[in-house]
Amino acid sequence: MILKATQLAFAYNDTTRFELPDIELGPGEELLVLGQSGSGKTTLLNILGGLLKPQKGEVTINGKSLYRLEGNSLDKFRGKHIGIVFQKPHLLTALSVVENLQVANYFVGKDRSDLIEKNLEELGILDKKKAKVTTLSEGEAQRVSIARALANEPLVILADEPTASLDDTNAEAVIRLLKAQAKRLGAALIVVTHDQRVKNHISNHLTIGKA
């Protein structure tokens, strides 16, 4: 089992409380989490990604309890084992494509130039390696975001609304890329979205809402 989440709960205040579903995923397995805005999708993703400590419950990745780690240990574990594709790419605009990916390697203390080139080639943007990110199209920037999430060959890939601003063709391409890369790495893939189009590509899905 790569990822296991049990009895998760989180409250931002007295009126915004979430009881989140249990999840178990093995190598290469995928899950689509559907829900409207405010349903707790991003809260769930942030908890699974080591960004938001739940008030109740546990997340284990490859047998390691995520929130028993603290501070620098949690940061290093997250950087090495969890790849997150955010809704907006959040790339460093002063850097080139390859430099953005090298930053991800830096945080785990490894030079993975070989893997960077491989990922860029598989994603069809190797020719953009030295380009400034400000020159990229929206679809290209999203692919760089995916390459960054894969930079350290994570065990878990989490994608937050990766198709929200894309047309049908590009949305399908992004989901196919995420699925293919997860299979290649033997990683667990979770996509959280309100985009019903994604259901055509990931059959294993659940819908969440406020408790």
Side-chain angles (χ1 to χ4, degrees), residues 166-184:
L166 301 178
D167 60 29
D168 288 351
T169 299
N170 284 316
E172 180 176 348
V174 163
I175 293 301
R176 289 188 183 279
L177 283 168
L178 285 169
K179 286 165 59 76
Q181 296 302 314
K183 293 291 186 187
R184 179 176 70 81

Side-chain angles (χ1 to χ4, degrees), residues 34-198:
L34 293 163
Q36 295 303 312
S37 178
S39 63
K41 302 186 308 300
T42 297
T43 297
L44 175 62
L45 182 140
N46 286 338
I47 290 172
L48 297 178
L51 300 172
L52 181 67
K53 186 174 182 178
Q55 293 163 339
K56 175 187 170 187
E58 185 173 44
V59 177
T60 59
I61 294 177
N62 208 29
K64 176 78 75 171
S65 181
L66 189 59
Y67 288 102
R68 292 184 186 178
L69 301 170
E70 295 182 351
N72 195 44
S73 295
L74 175 58
D75 292 340
K76 285 186 175 181
F77 186 88
R78 181 173 57 241
K80 183 176 182 181
H81 296 301
I82 304 171
I84 303 177
V85 182
F86 296 100
Q87 182 176 355
K88 298 295 182 182
H90 298 299
L91 301 173
L92 299 174
T93 57
L95 303 181
S96 68
V97 167
V98 70
E99 288 168 342
N100 266 274
L101 304 186
Q102 287 169 340
V103 168
N105 290 160
Y106 172 80
F107 285 116
V108 296
K110 290 185 178 180
D111 178 2
R112 298 302 307 272
S113 298
D114 57 333
L115 181 60
I116 285 175
E117 295 230 345
K118 180 178 180 181
N119 286 337
L120 290 175
E121 184 173 14
E122 292 227 0
L123 292 165
I125 50 172
L126 184 58
D127 61 322
K128 301 293 184 179
K129 175 181 173 180
K130 296 183 179 179
K132 291 291 186 183
V133 297
T134 51
T135 69
L136 302 177
S137 69
E138 186 174 34
E140 289 167 344
Q142 184 68 296
R143 289 177 184 232
V144 174
S145 179
I146 294 171
R148 181 181 57 191
L150 302 174
N152 297 313
E153 296 191 312
L155 294 171
V156 176
I157 301 170
L158 306 173
D160 186 11
E161 300 282 7
T163 61
S165 59
L166 301 178
D167 60 29
D168 288 351
T169 299
N170 284 316
E172 180 176 348
V174 163
I175 293 301
R176 289 188 183 279
L177 283 168
L178 285 169
K179 286 165 59 76
Q181 296 302 314
K183 293 291 186 187
R184 179 176 70 81
L185 293 173
L189 170 65
I190 296 181
V191 177
V192 300
T193 187
H194 69 274
D195 187 347
Q196 295 290 321
R197 296 175 299 177
V198 185

Side-chain angles (χ1 to χ4, degrees), residues 8-21:
L8 295 178
F10 187 85
Y12 292 100
N13 51 52
D14 290 341
T15 59
T16 309
R17 306 177 63 86
F18 299 107
E19 299 285 339
L20 300 167

